[in-house]
Amino acid sequence: MADSDALQQAAARLSAAVEALDKVVEPLLGEEDSMASLKQRLHSLTDERDRLRRELDAERDRAKRLQAANDEVSSRLEVVMGRLRDMAPAG
């Protein structure tokens, strides 16, 4: 019977050790999953930032072209208005 008691005590110690190990490992596995999730989220956000940066650059270029066209039209209108004033009878 002494062998049986020793075996039961060893089994109880093993069970306690496994439970303690589970308590330590489980949060680490959760952290690993969280890290993988965070890395994936970071990758997604980086892709989104890059896409938005490209869109912003394109819109800035478009705004510059529109401003240049606006400046050209304004300049031409000023020339036409000046010519019309010169052609109008003095009054």
Side-chain angles (χ1 to χ4, degrees):
M1 232 324 200
D3 289 338
S4 178
D5 288 340
L7 186 58
Q8 286 179 346
Q9 289 175 355
R13 285 194 311 268
L14 178 60
S15 179
V18 168
E19 285 181 30
L21 183 60
D22 280 344
K23 287 180 182 179
V24 170
V25 171
E26 190 173 321
L28 294 176
L29 292 176
E31 287 178 17
E32 185 176 314
D33 290 342
S34 294
M35 289 300 292
S37 177
L38 287 173
K39 285 179 182 178
Q40 179 59 37
R41 183 71 176 138
L42 178 62
H43 180 70
S44 296
L45 289 172
T46 300
D47 288 348
E48 179 73 4
R49 182 202 62 202
D50 292 344
R51 183 186 64 79
L52 290 171
R53 183 177 290 153
R54 286 189 303 273
E55 288 180 12
L56 178 60
D57 289 344
E59 288 302 315
R60 284 180 177 159
D61 289 344
R62 181 175 177 264
K64 287 178 185 175
R65 290 192 309 274
L66 288 172
Q67 184 61 47
N70 184 33
D71 292 345
E72 177 68 22
V73 168
S74 292
S75 176
R76 288 182 183 188
L77 283 173
E78 287 179 17
V79 169
V80 169
M81 287 177 14
R83 287 183 182 164
L84 288 174
R85 272 191 234 110
D86 291 343
M87 294 171 57

